[in-house]
Amino acid sequence: VKTQLIMPAAGMGLRLGSSRPKALAELCGLPLIVRTLTRFREAGQLEDAIVPAPASQLPQFEKLLAKHFPGVSIQVLAGGSSRQESVRIGLEALGAQTEIVLIHDAARPFVPVDAIHASIQAAADHGAATVAVPAIDTILLGDTNAFLESTPDRARTWACQTPQTFQAAVIREAHTRARADGFKGTDDASLVRRLGKPVKLVMGVRLNFKLTTPEDLAYARMLIQEGLA
Ligand code: C5P
């Protein structure tokens, strides 16, 4: 089965408080995106990867990826103004033979290789899958005035992660429909689910968190230094 990775990396890292794009943030001697892509190389899923990056930084990304992954074909292209837009642009660059599409945030460098494989299998079996972890905190659904509306049963709440993995036709249709309807989501599995199609939840680990704030970056460095990630 021909698989292809899309790694949205076009975020500017404003919440990280950095002057450079988040994907280029330095993490114990290696740029964040290099660490994340290395997990996909270990999983045998790096060849023909598509990387939507900030439009102003394409040469920097191309140079960096050529240096760390020589001989691997990785396509860097200009991302969009939202993650959803960046993924949509990435989908347009997919090869015609691609059957399964992996979508993984550049900002999640500690994704386990077995979660990558499990998500591919689940997408092949069910059409769509997302890695997720059972919620540790009780999740509250608030109303627009910040009053509690309801408390979903914690045994059924999960925190969303990536990879989110799809049969190519399924994710193409989901993005086409979301765009036509003006629907904006924060992840890709939600775009599939809103069409009524099943999305399998694949068990992840808390270590596969998304680096967002300066505290996250400090925690990630500590995990690497301590040999925990
Ligand atoms: O902003 P957030 O942390 O949710 O971004 C998740 C991923 O989406 C990051 O890897 C980021 O680089 C990417 N992204 C993107 N295009 C945007 C915004 C975010 O590819 N316009």
Side-chain angles (χ1 to χ4, degrees):
V1 177
K2 170 73 180 150
T3 59
Q4 215 174 340
L5 168 66
I6 298 174
M7 183 168 291
M12 290 309 285
L14 298 179
R15 287 171 294 179
L16 203 57
S18 159
S19 53
R20 54 184 165 189
K22 175 156 74 172
L24 302 183
E26 197 259 5
L27 198 51
C28 299
L30 284 177
L32 176 54
I33 191 170
V34 171
R35 289 195 177 271
T36 312
L37 285 170
T38 297
R39 294 293 169 112
F40 284 83
R41 183 175 62 189
E42 288 164 7
Q45 297 297 333
L46 191 56
E47 192 66 38
D48 295 329
I50 297 166
V51 177
S56 61
Q57 309 267 333
L58 302 187
Q60 287 89 327
F61 273 72
E62 275 164 1
K63 212 173 135 216
L64 185 74
L65 299 182
K67 175 180 157 198
H68 288 277
F69 306 108
V72 182
S73 125
I74 300 177
Q75 194 179 342
V76 175
L77 38 74
S81 59
S82 66
R83 183 187 183 283
Q84 186 171 319
E85 269 293 294
S86 293
V87 171
R88 188 187 62 75
I89 291 165
L91 287 171
E92 287 174 2
L94 284 178
Q97 308 304 316
T98 297
E99 291 164 70
I100 298 276
V101 183
L102 288 145
I103 303 173
H104 184 76
D105 294 329
R108 296 183 189 272
F110 303 132
V111 57
V113 167
D114 59 2
I116 297 171
H117 289 143
S119 77
I120 293 170
Q121 187 60 53
D125 290 345
H126 305 288
T130 181
V131 175
V133 279
I136 295 280
D137 292 314
T138 294
I139 302 297
L140 305 179
L141 194 63
D143 68 17
T144 48
N145 296 316
F147 279 86
L148 179 61
E149 189 170 296
S150 62
T151 308
D153 177 8
R154 192 172 67 191
R156 290 181 54 196
T157 55
W158 299 66
C160 186
Q161 299 185 338
T162 67
Q164 299 195 326
T165 309
F166 308 93
Q167 293 174 15
V170 171
I171 191 61
R172 280 200 176 100
E173 184 193 356
H175 270 266
T176 301
R177 294 274 296 273
R179 196 180 193 204
D181 299 343
F183 180 86
K184 291 180 173 45
T186 52
D187 75 309
D188 300 289
S190 306
L191 308 188
V192 171
R193 184 62 197 147
R194 69 186 281 277
L195 304 183
K197 296 176 192 283
V199 178
K200 181 68 180 163
L201 301 180
V202 174
M203 185 63 73
V205 292
R206 288 189 85 196
L207 193 58
N208 183 27
F209 65 95
K210 185 173 69 176
L211 271 73
T212 307
T213 65
E215 296 80 16
D216 294 338
L217 197 54
Y219 179 54
R221 288 185 175 128
M222 188 274 287
L223 290 170
I224 295 169
Q225 282 158 4
E226 304 276 324
L228 296 170

